[in-house]
Amino acid sequence: MFDEIQQAGVGQTPPFLTASSIHKSYGGVHALKGVSLTLRAGEVHGLVGANGAGKSTLIKVLAGLVQPDSGEVRIDGKRQSLVTPHHASALGMNFIHQELAFIPGMTVLENIMLGLPKKSRFGVVDWKGIARDVAPIAERVGITAPLHANVKGLPAAENWLINICRALVRKARLIVMDEPTAALSATESEKLFTIIEDLSQSGVTVLYVSHRLDEILRLCHGVTVFRDGSSVATIDKADLNRERLIEEIVGGAVEHLVHEKRIIERDEVALTVSHLSRAPRVKDVSLTLHRGEVLGIGGLVGAGRSELAHLIYGADRPDAGTMTFDGKVFSPRSPVQAVKAGLGLVPEERRADGLVLHKSVGFNLQLANFRELVASPIIPFVKSRKRQPTAQQIIQDLAIKSHSIEMPVGRLSGGNQQKVVIGRWLLRMPKVLILDEPTRGVDIGARGEIHRLIRALAEKGMAVIVISSEPDELPDLCDRIVVMCEGRIVRELVGAEITRNAIVEASYA
Ligand code: ATP
């Protein structure tokens, strides 16, 4: 198989999968309005599109989780009706989602073998024999944890490798990866890319779904672009470039935000953090945040930045150190106290944190405000007419793709749900706002819009902290940057010192 691909080149190998004219609507809302996709054996194919463009819906169709209204899927030229996930899996299709399916408490090997028939000896599962069979595959994908180790507490990168191993044990011909690098560090991502290249060379097809265009440009032999439920372009590697991709995704050019780095009035202090520590992740951190300032915190995944945010937000208690907020001693015992004082946090795990999925977009946008208005945790009914103007504005500004303000938030695409959590805090205008990875999983158009809103809020006097693992994001957005490494602030960058390279260099200090 490998030789055939090498000789023919991926472009000429016969299609492994074709999906043609797939339509799907939910009660009159069109999620897919006729999309097509062709995947060749051994190809790494990118699937890109703005939040809500229909990528996840197509994947669910391929996985047998959602039945299309019309259209057809062919595998090796043969028409298939994918009615169950089991059927999709039997055809060699495997799906790795951002929220990885794991059973904590089970071993790496048990998780790899989940749902598969297991060989037995004398009526007992032969785990030793299974381990012997799986070990070479685990080694090939670079799993470092022992097969008998518990999966609980393993890093995100290791979990991805376990999922890839699971797919290979199932003799996958196609592996669909949804935002694979979202929770990985740069080094871990590099390792994953090498594995993807290896998979491709051995004839496994990879469908790579991501908003990170640099990764798409680097890895993919071809890319399909979805826009508003339609497939609008299929581009071969030879014709791929960033500008073309962006143009196809948004249906026009995107304005790049360039802002003057301002010198912030240093006398108006909003928040100070002095010698804050919490073992094992935050070590003796001190910083000062000024009114009207956008302070970036750079560093690698795991550098302790989210943990620092949790301490400031009262979600965790420090072992040592003090804080002031608006000139007064600040020692929140809970997020509720922090919010009352005027602090906001857009957390990293947005989908899990704080969206009431069965409630409307409007309700969720206003959630932080409700909590402030009522002492009771039972949120009262508020007439939708009252909340409409501001929430509507945010829906417009962030281009939240929602059928109406009353649509349950659980029915929005993942990226649009994230925009709602961010929008909620933009509406609420706290004095200090911390945004942890604000544009992860968010499409390129909305990313610019979120940056523009953050700048506008700072200009109104809000003090903002932005945590980002993408070294390209902070220089565009921030007036000042501190870089954390292994729990400590290792570098402060101001003015002309703020460059991508300086952040990367300090991240590995
Ligand atoms: P993202 O990049 O944000 O993950 P996506 O391209 O994967 O976006 P989908 O999740 O496929 O987008 O959503 C496509 C459209 O279908 C969205 O407008 C979404 O609101 C709508 N949709 C998806 N599931 C449902 C549902 N169960 N009920 C109603 N509408 C839905």
Side-chain angles (χ1 to χ4, degrees):
M1 171 75 90
F2 175 35
D3 289 343
E4 274 169 35
I5 293 165
Q6 290 285 2
Q7 281 158 19
V10 169
Q12 283 99 53
T13 54
F16 159 64
L17 175 147
T18 51
S20 319
S21 304
I22 310 280
H23 288 254
K24 174 70 192 172
S25 65
Y26 294 97
V29 181
H30 295 285
L32 296 178
K33 297 186 264 189
V35 296
S36 299
L37 177 73
T38 300
L39 302 177
R40 295 181 186 280
E43 175 187 22
V44 182
H45 194 91
L47 180 57
V48 300
N51 297 130
K55 304 177 297 290
S56 307
T57 308
L58 178 74
I59 290 168
K60 285 181 195 155
V61 168
L62 298 181
L65 288 165
V66 160
Q67 296 310 306
D69 302 332
S70 61
E72 63 169 37
V73 177
R74 288 178 182 267
I75 308 277
D76 294 326
K78 200 168 152 223
R79 190 168 178 171
Q80 304 285 347
S81 42
L82 301 163
V83 281
T84 62
H86 182 73
H87 186 198
S89 166
L91 288 165
M93 296 196 278
N94 276 265
F95 301 82
I96 311 183
H97 302 285
Q98 280 176 53
E99 289 89 12
L100 297 168
F102 271 109
I103 311 223
M106 277 194 179
T107 65
V108 171
L109 187 59
E110 285 165 339
N111 268 285
I112 289 171
M113 294 302 294
L114 217 60
L116 277 183
K118 297 165 196 74
K119 64 178 176 187
S120 58
R121 270 163 69 94
F122 313 117
V124 182
V125 176
D126 177 17
W127 283 112
K128 270 198 180 147
I130 296 171
R132 267 197 305 276
D133 296 343
V134 170
I137 307 174
E139 197 185 319
R140 176 181 163 198
V141 302
I143 293 176
T144 53
L147 289 177
H148 58 265
N150 192 320
V151 292
K152 200 170 164 219
L154 287 183
E158 197 75 1
N159 292 345
W160 263 92
L161 302 180
I162 293 171
N163 270 273
I164 294 174
C165 183
R166 184 193 277 171
L168 292 181
V169 169
R170 284 169 162 72
K171 306 216 178 322
R173 297 181 62 199
L174 166 68
I175 306 180
V176 179
M177 301 185 181
D178 185 6
E179 289 278 355
T181 58
L184 305 190
S185 69
T187 321
E188 290 167 339
S189 300
E190 280 302 322
K191 188 171 165 193
L192 181 72
F193 299 156
T194 310
I195 292 160
I196 290 174
E197 277 155 4
D198 171 57
L199 289 173
S200 157
Q201 289 196 343
S202 64
V204 176
T205 308
V206 174
L207 182 61
Y208 196 91
V209 187
S210 182
H211 293 290
R212 298 188 169 175
L213 302 186
D214 293 340
E215 295 174 8
I216 295 281
L217 290 168
R218 171 183 166 168
L219 282 173
C220 297
H221 300 110
V223 175
T224 298
V225 185
F226 281 10
R227 195 189 321 136
D228 272 338
S230 305
S231 39
V232 292
T234 299
I235 313 169
D236 281 336
K237 190 171 186 78
D239 303 320
L240 261 182
N241 60 59
R242 202 180 162 79
E243 290 68 37
R244 168 95 196 270
L245 269 181
I246 294 175
E247 234 174 77
E248 296 287 2
I249 291 169
V250 300
V254 169
E255 268 181 52
H256 192 66
L257 176 99
V258 181
H259 82 93
E260 292 280 311
K261 303 259 174 298
R262 296 158 313 140
I263 303 298
I264 303 299
E265 288 295 330
R266 293 298 166 110
D267 49 346
E268 292 206 63
V269 171
L271 173 82
T272 65
V273 169
S274 306
H275 304 291
L276 214 59
S277 293
R278 181 182 160 94
R281 284 290 180 83
V282 180
K283 296 172 190 159
D284 195 25
V285 169
S286 299
L287 56 84
T288 304
L289 178 71
H290 305 91
R291 271 173 58 83
E293 177 179 39
V294 182
L295 172 71
I297 308 187
L300 302 176
V301 172
R305 298 164 303 164
S306 300
E307 289 79 2
L308 173 66
H310 286 167
L311 292 178
I312 300 173
Y313 193 56
D316 285 322
R317 301 280 293 151
D319 300 333
T322 55
M323 293 188 277
T324 68
F325 190 98
D326 252 357
K328 294 189 207 94
V329 173
F330 181 58
S331 164
R333 296 188 161 273
S334 67
V336 173
Q337 277 189 6
V339 171
K340 274 198 181 141
L343 200 94
L345 171 73
V346 176
E348 188 179 21
E349 296 302 329
R350 288 181 279 275
R351 285 180 220 188
D353 270 290
L355 279 182
V356 187
L357 291 178
H358 67 281
K359 290 280 190 180
S360 73
V361 174
F363 176 94
N364 275 281
L365 276 171
Q366 290 285 350
L367 199 57
N369 296 352
F370 288 157
R371 290 229 169 101
E372 192 187 40
L373 290 174
V374 287
S376 151
I378 301 157
I379 297 158
F381 175 76
V382 176
K383 279 206 176 97
S384 51
R385 198 162 34 86
K386 274 195 183 163
R387 64 175 183 244
Q388 216 131 332
T390 42
Q392 195 70 60
Q393 191 61 47
I394 283 290
I395 290 174
Q396 230 165 34
D397 284 348
L398 295 184
I400 295 174
K401 191 164 182 270
S402 170
H403 193 47
S404 80
I405 196 168
E406 299 302 338
M407 182 160 165
V409 100
R411 294 203 190 147
L412 297 186
S413 76
N416 281 298
Q417 291 183 12
Q418 298 191 14
K419 291 186 199 172
V420 171
V421 183
I422 294 172
R424 173 197 294 170
W425 285 106
L426 300 182
L427 262 178
R428 191 172 187 280
M429 289 293 291
K431 291 178 189 158
V432 171
L433 179 61
I434 306 173
L435 299 122
D436 196 351
E437 306 284 359
T439 59
R440 180 188 289 171
V442 164
D443 66 59
I444 188 121
R447 179 185 163 113
E449 201 49 47
I450 288 170
H451 286 178
R452 197 187 60 72
L453 277 168
I454 291 173
R455 297 271 1 140
L457 292 171
E459 261 142 45
K460 282 186 194 159
M462 191 187 285
V464 185
I465 294 178
V466 179
I467 297 172
S468 175
S469 304
E470 281 182 60
D472 285 325
E473 175 158 38
L474 295 178
D476 282 353
L477 184 62
C478 303
D479 302 302
R480 187 162 61 97
I481 291 172
V482 294
V483 181
M484 279 181 76
C485 179
E486 292 182 4
R488 295 177 196 279
I489 291 183
V490 291
R491 183 95 205 261
E492 180 179 4
L493 302 164
V494 276
E497 295 168 345
I498 298 180
T499 62
R500 177 189 198 280
N501 287 353
I503 298 171
V504 174
E505 204 178 296
S507 302
Y508 289 95

